[in-house]
């Protein structure tokens, strides 16, 4: 592995770096446990893993206030956990159990965290973006300075509703941060087969929205740009757009690797693995502290798996609940 240049630690304390490391490591280890569990069939839904992409969610959400709102799509484990979602409830949801965050009805693609201000996630590409705009309009009218962040992939930028939402947010100066997790593929279709140019930020800027590209995955820059954007929004400055280059290490859906599928090569992932932000942060945390955090995460995951496995399935009479008007 090539030696990596460490980013400058942002002004602040080692506690901030430790917080980022804990959040990033927690998400990675949870999803690695999902990879381990998935072949056993205990998980009752498809899974879209964020392994390799976690720094975007962690960096952005670390720049938010607890009562700011997050909207995400189906690849949402990272956003859910970074925002403070209950791990036991998340794993129980993947297990299809009644104690899940959606009572076992939604599975991996339909997580929800009202206690931590995470809107229900959506499995249909782009559909959550206008919902986030509506939430931002509501918060602007509320007048308490709260903001909304919406995460989506590069494929969602090709949906008409993405552009409609950009225009609406700019027109009404909504407190909405658009975050594109650009991993260069829409399922198996590469970016250059879909976009006439890669100038996404330029296209967004035509709506009068400040647009920034983070091409190296630097978690500190992602966090700092988010903090600046939210400060602008809280002053009534309107939306901001971040294009965060990233790369998923696993297949589009499922726990395996897919570099033999023919649409990408293993060489593509190597630079991202060499610049893994989890490794970057690990080198900035004192070894005894890192070991303690790792132990605490392992214990939390074991307890959450045990909770999910011990939880009951929904009762049969629940099958038609919330389907028809009473």
């Amino acid at each position: 592995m090539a030696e990596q240049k460490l980013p400058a630690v942002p002004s602040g304390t080692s506690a901030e770096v430790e917080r980022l490391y804990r959040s990033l490591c927690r998400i990675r280890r949870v999803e690695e446990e999902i990879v381990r569990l998935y072949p056993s069939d205990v998980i009752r839904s498809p899974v879209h893993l964020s392994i390799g992409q976690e720094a975007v969610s962690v960096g952005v959400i670390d720049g938010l206030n607890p009562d700011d709102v997050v909207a995400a799509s189906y690849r949402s484990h990272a956003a859910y956990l970074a925002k403070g979602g209950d791990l036991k409830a998340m794993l129980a949801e993947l297990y299809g159990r009644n104690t899940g965050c959606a009572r076992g009805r939604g599975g991996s693609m339909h997580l929800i965290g009202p206690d931590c201000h995470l809107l229900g996630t959506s499995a249909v590409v782009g559909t959550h973006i206008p919902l986030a705009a509506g939430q931002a309009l509501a918060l602007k009218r509320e007048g308490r300075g709260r903001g909304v962040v919406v995460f989506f992939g590069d494929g969602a930028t090709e949906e008409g509703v993405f552009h409609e939402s950009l225009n609406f947010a700019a027109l009404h100066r909504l407190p909405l941060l658009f975050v594109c997790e650009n991993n260069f593929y829409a399922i198996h279709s590469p970016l250059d087969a879909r976009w006439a140019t890669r100038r996404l930020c330029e296209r967004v800027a035509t709506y009068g929205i400040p647009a920034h590209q983070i091409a190296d995955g630097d978690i500190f820059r992602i966090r700092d740009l988010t903090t600046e954007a939210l400060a602008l929004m809280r002053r009534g400055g309107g939306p901001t757009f971040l294009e965060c280059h990233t790369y998923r290490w696993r297949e589009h859906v499922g726990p395996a690797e897919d570099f033999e599928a023919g649409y990408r090569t293993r060489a593509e992932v190597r630079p991202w693995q060499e610049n893994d932000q989890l490794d970057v942060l690990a080198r900035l945390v004192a070894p005894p502290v890192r070991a303690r955090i790792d132990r605490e995460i392992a214990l939390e995951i074991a307890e959450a798996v045990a909770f999910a496995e011990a939880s009951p399935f929904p009762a049969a009479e629940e099958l038609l609940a919330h389907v028809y008007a009473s």
Side-chain angles (χ1 to χ4, degrees):
M1 182 178 294
E3 182 180 355
Q4 296 298 307
K5 180 181 178 182
L6 296 182
V9 180
S11 58
T13 66
S14 59
E16 292 177 327
V17 177
E18 291 169 16
R19 181 178 68 245
L20 288 168
Y21 172 77
R22 179 186 290 274
S23 183
L24 200 59
C25 185
R26 181 173 180 251
I27 294 165
R28 177 73 59 85
R29 299 298 175 246
V30 167
E31 293 211 314
E32 288 173 345
E33 181 67 1
I34 292 170
V35 169
R36 186 187 72 81
L37 292 167
Y38 200 79
S40 68
D41 258 359
V42 295
I43 291 177
R44 301 299 175 121
S45 72
V47 292
H48 298 74
L49 301 177
S50 301
I51 293 175
Q53 300 191 189
E54 309 96 334
V56 180
S57 292
V58 172
V60 167
I61 290 173
D62 195 70
L64 306 184
N65 289 341
D67 61 350
D68 290 328
V69 176
V70 166
S73 63
Y74 49 82
R75 198 180 304 279
S76 57
H77 299 163
Y80 175 90
L81 292 172
K83 192 61 172 72
D86 186 295
L87 176 57
K88 290 181 178 178
M90 179 186 129
L91 287 182
E93 187 61 35
L94 269 60
Y95 272 66
R97 304 304 173 98
N98 195 48
T99 54
C101 59
R103 301 281 300 278
R105 296 173 176 275
S108 171
M109 293 188 285
H110 302 94
L111 303 178
I112 186 168
D115 294 341
C116 63
H117 303 285
L118 179 87
L119 300 180
T121 63
S122 172
V124 182
V125 173
T127 54
H128 63 300
I129 299 176
L131 299 181
Q135 183 69 43
L137 177 62
L139 294 189
K140 180 179 179 180
R141 291 177 175 177
E142 179 187 66
R144 290 173 45 203
R146 299 166 65 198
V148 179
V149 171
V150 56
F151 293 98
F152 49 90
D154 49 284
T157 68
E158 297 153 26
E159 298 291 330
V161 73
F162 167 69
H163 297 275
E164 293 165 358
S165 299
L166 286 173
N167 183 64
F168 187 83
L171 182 65
H172 295 279
R173 301 183 73 79
L174 299 184
L176 179 56
L177 177 61
F178 295 88
V179 180
C180 176
E181 297 178 275
N182 185 354
N183 66 15
F184 310 105
Y185 289 94
I187 308 180
H188 298 154
S189 181
L191 203 64
D192 291 336
R194 297 158 22 230
W195 291 7
T197 78
R198 290 198 173 199
R199 299 197 296 271
L200 176 59
C201 284
E202 183 179 316
R203 294 196 289 275
V204 171
T206 63
Y207 293 98
I209 296 175
H212 308 276
Q213 183 188 86
I214 303 96
D216 59 0
D218 185 343
I219 192 170
F220 298 126
R221 185 156 183 256
I222 293 170
R223 192 271 306 272
D224 292 345
L225 282 171
T226 298
T227 302
E228 293 170 11
L230 267 291
L232 178 67
M233 291 177 204
R234 298 189 210 285
R235 298 193 301 268
T240 296
F241 177 86
L242 299 183
E243 179 192 2
C244 301
H245 288 184
T246 188
Y247 200 87
R248 59 175 169 81
W249 298 5
R250 301 280 173 161
E251 56 192 332
H252 168 70
V253 54
E257 294 183 339
D258 64 352
F259 296 105
E260 286 69 47
Y263 75 96
R264 61 176 184 165
T265 67
R266 189 172 295 276
E268 288 184 23
V269 74
R270 289 192 188 114
W272 293 96
Q273 291 176 330
E274 291 169 358
N275 191 40
D276 184 6
Q277 294 297 288
L278 180 57
D279 289 343
V280 170
L281 288 171
R283 294 196 292 270
L284 297 174
V285 178
V289 175
R290 189 171 70 242
R292 173 178 54 79
I293 292 172
D294 292 348
R295 287 194 301 272
E296 291 169 354
I297 290 171
L299 178 61
E300 182 191 12
I301 292 171
E303 291 176 347
V305 170
F307 174 82
E309 291 177 346
S311 295
F313 287 104
E317 54 267 24
E318 286 283 304
L319 184 62
L320 298 181
H322 313 296
V323 176
Y324 301 104
S326 58

